[in-house]
Amino acid sequence: MAYTPAATSGTRPIAFLGLAGVIHLDDAPAVPVRTIRVSAWGWWAREVAVPETTARQLATLASFTDVVWISEWGHNAHTAFATALDLPSRPWPTLPVQFDKLAAIRVYAAALPWVWIDDPLVIPPDATGGLVVPTDPRRGLAGVDLAAIRSRLPERTR
C-alpha cells in the first residue's frame, strides 16, 4: 500500500519546509544557535544546531500557512523537533522526499498557493509554480523574511 500523507486544511497556502539548512544548521552558524539533542521515539539520537529564533519563526509561519515537512527525515521530523521547537501535538503532514521535491510539492499542493523553504542545494534553479525561498544555510529559517512571504501569499483560497 502506498504512503498517503495527511491532508492540510485545503484552504490556506502551504509552507513546505526542509530540515537541513532550514530548521537545523550543518554549516557554521552566522546566527545565535543552541545545540539540542533530537530523537524519534528513542530509536536514534543526534545533536543539531538550531537557531534561537526558529521556534518563533515556525509559529509565525504556521499562523498564516499549513506547514508540511518535506524531508528525508519523513515522519520523524515533527517527532524529533516537537519539544525543542514547541510544535503542536498533532504532527504536521510529511512528504518523505529526498530527491525531486518540486514534483512532490506540485502534486500535493495541487491548486493551492505554496511556498517552499529549503536549503539551496536541493532547490533546482528553474523551480517555479509557487514561491521558492532558498535559505542561507548558515541562518536557516532565522534568516527568512516571513513578512515578505506573507505579503506574497493569499490568506485563503476558498
Side-chain angles (χ1 to χ4, degrees), residues 2-3 7 39 50 72 90 93 98 106 112 134-135 148-149 155:
Y3 170 78
S39 178
V50 176
E72 63 279 3
R90 183 172 182 211
Q98 184 173 4
R106 288 177 173 156
L112 291 171
T135 61
I149 289 173
E155 282 191 38

Side-chain angles (χ1 to χ4, degrees), residues 42-122:
W43 294 343
W44 54 266
R46 176 178 174 195
E47 287 193 347
V48 293
V50 176
E52 291 179 358
T53 61
T54 299
R56 185 171 58 246
Q57 287 282 86
L58 279 173
T60 299
L61 186 63
S63 74
F64 64 92
T65 66
D66 289 332
V67 178
V68 173
W69 300 110
I70 185 158
S71 166
E72 63 279 3
W73 286 51
H75 66 282
N76 293 320
H78 201 92
T79 301
F81 288 92
T83 300
L85 298 177
D86 196 27
L87 300 179
S89 59
R90 183 172 182 211
W92 291 327
T94 299
L95 294 179
V97 180
Q98 184 173 4
F99 304 106
D100 201 10
K101 291 182 178 184
L102 184 56
I105 288 169
R106 288 177 173 156
V107 168
Y108 186 86
L112 291 171
W114 54 265
V115 57
W116 176 20
I117 304 171
D118 215 333
D119 188 297
L121 289 176
V122 299

Side-chain angles (χ1 to χ4, degrees), residues 24-35 49-51 136-140:
H24 70 86
L25 308 180
D26 291 331
D27 290 1
V31 294
V33 297
R34 58 191 173 106
T35 301
V50 176
D136 174 342
R138 299 168 306 120
R139 299 178 191 287

